[in-house]
Amino acid sequence: MKPVNKNDRIMVHVEDLTHDGAGVAKVDGYPLFIPGALPGEDVLVHVLKTLKSYGFAKLIEIQQASPFRVTAPCPVFDTCGGCQIQHLSYEGQMTFKQKLVRDAITRIGKLPDVPVHPVKGMEDPWRYRNKSQIPFGTQNGKVVAGFYQPRSHDIADTDICLIQTPEAEAIMVSLKKNLAELGIEPYEEATHRGMLRHVVVRKARATGEIMVVLVTKKKKFSQAARAIELIQATVPEVTSIVQNINSEKTNVIFGDETLTLWGKDVIEDQIGDVRFEISARSFYQINPEQTEVLYGQALQYAQLTGNETVIDAYCGIGTISLFLAQRAKFVMGVEIVPQAIEDAKRNAELNGLSNTLFEAGPAEQVIPRWYKEGKKADVLVVDPPRKGCDEQLLRTILKQRPTRVVYVSCNPATLARDLRLLEDGGYRTKEVQPVDMFPQSTHCEAVAWLELA
């Protein structure tokens, strides 16, 4: 029998946070998830829903607040899904994220003795995003733009976002105010009507170059000239304005076709000493300041002397590969997206790094073939998506046994799962270093260092 029922009002003590930032309290061992509550707090809650093993409750009153509780500065924090923990001080966020990674490594990876270091955070954890993906729509006949509400595609309308650049904010506000005058109808996902789906703004930290991508339902865009004029008047520093066409009934942001409306096809940025050309659909880390920290950590764990051959699985546009190529004898990168590989080749040429090879295809298929061709790695670097490494790739690593593996992860749970499999196959995890790439959110990147036992 459950110890609580729907509509109960009870006092509880919050013990922990979930991966999405909800407080966790236990009533006779039965977990209640409470959005807005923080560990260490005594709170009055209203029970909303009870399932067999856990329930959900609404925070009514905080009787004893956490010393790490702060007032969230964002006016739409309670409705926007972009940031989950603005109400937690940055010191508290660092503590939470270290525990998040350590708990995953211990509970899922069964590796309680692996050191998980304090999180490497930012001095100023605001305005860090170099890419903003802003949905447009209508609510009650009014044009809205902002970010999606949690677990929905309803837009939290706002003129302010404290984690994106001021330029992205200004473009969002200007377009929102002037769409009707421009004759551009916002897209409605439910009915598949309208024209403007998203506006994506990218800013290069090193050069200051800015790209604006207008994602439209149709290719024919008769209002393009007026939209360009408005964007240029709003942010004169813009160097590229691009149209991406997505005519599908989907919540995927980009379509397959991209046209340059004005200016350059790409913007250029720099991480450390390595320059990158970034196109509209290029994958590029969101937080440029912390990207240098993250890649620096990967380079440190790779322990390159200049004599090693390195394989970079999931190489994207070559960001980590080219960082490593400065210190390695040779670097081979593989990525399933052909356009990303073309970008990687171009970026290698841009930096005069001829000790690289890039190939498009699934890592779990390309890397075994490389080994059969005699292209073996001393060090293997993986930076997979949130789902972690493909099982076949992990089997390849265990079969080919590179001396060192550096695992860059955006999901502590799948990192821990994959570390367990590599440990069972003969590797030893030396240490894990979390890096805060996404302040104010619950997401945390981590870099793991593995050696053959």
Side-chain angles (χ1 to χ4, degrees), residues 195 197-198 200 211-221 241-248 250 252-261 265 279-282 339:
M195 181 66 169
R197 300 176 69 128
H198 279 77
V200 180
M211 172 183 286
V212 180
V213 186
L214 304 173
V215 183
T216 60
K217 190 181 83 169
K218 298 178 181 178
K219 184 173 182 177
K220 185 179 179 182
F221 190 16
I241 301 176
V242 173
Q243 179 189 7
N244 175 267
I245 300 97
N246 183 355
S247 59
E248 301 297 319
T250 177
V252 174
I253 293 176
F254 286 116
D256 293 331
E257 187 177 6
T258 303
L259 307 170
T260 301
L261 300 177
D265 296 333
S279 60
R281 297 180 62 197
S282 294
Q339 181 58 53

Side-chain angles (χ1 to χ4, degrees), residues 256-375:
D256 293 331
E257 187 177 6
T258 303
L259 307 170
T260 301
L261 300 177
W262 176 87
K264 300 168 59 176
D265 296 333
V266 298
I267 57 174
E268 187 176 309
D269 203 2
Q270 188 165 323
I271 302 173
D273 296 327
V274 185
R275 297 156 59 201
F276 296 96
E277 288 185 348
I278 306 161
S279 60
R281 297 180 62 197
S282 294
F283 172 77
Y284 191 69
Q285 291 283 3
I286 291 294
N287 186 330
E289 180 179 331
Q290 291 295 89
T291 297
E292 198 160 342
V293 175
L294 185 75
Y295 291 176
Q297 191 65 54
L299 188 61
Q300 179 182 325
Y301 283 167
Q303 295 188 315
L304 301 176
T305 65
N307 298 315
E308 296 86 0
T309 296
V310 181
I311 288 179
D312 179 10
Y314 312 100
C315 71
I317 66 169
T319 45
I320 293 182
S321 302
L322 301 183
F323 223 65
L324 298 168
Q326 298 175 101
R327 305 276 186 89
K329 180 180 178 181
F330 197 75
V331 176
M332 298 180 287
V334 57
E335 167 63 51
I336 199 167
V337 181
Q339 181 58 53
I341 287 297
E342 293 306 309
D343 289 343
K345 291 176 180 177
R346 189 174 67 249
N347 286 324
E349 185 177 346
L350 181 68
N351 289 277
L353 292 169
S354 57
N355 59 334
T356 57
L357 169 70
F358 293 102
E359 184 170 333
E364 61 272 15
Q365 295 177 17
V366 173
I367 293 174
R369 176 170 54 74
W370 279 348
Y371 272 90
K372 287 179 182 177
E373 295 169 356
K375 299 170 183 168

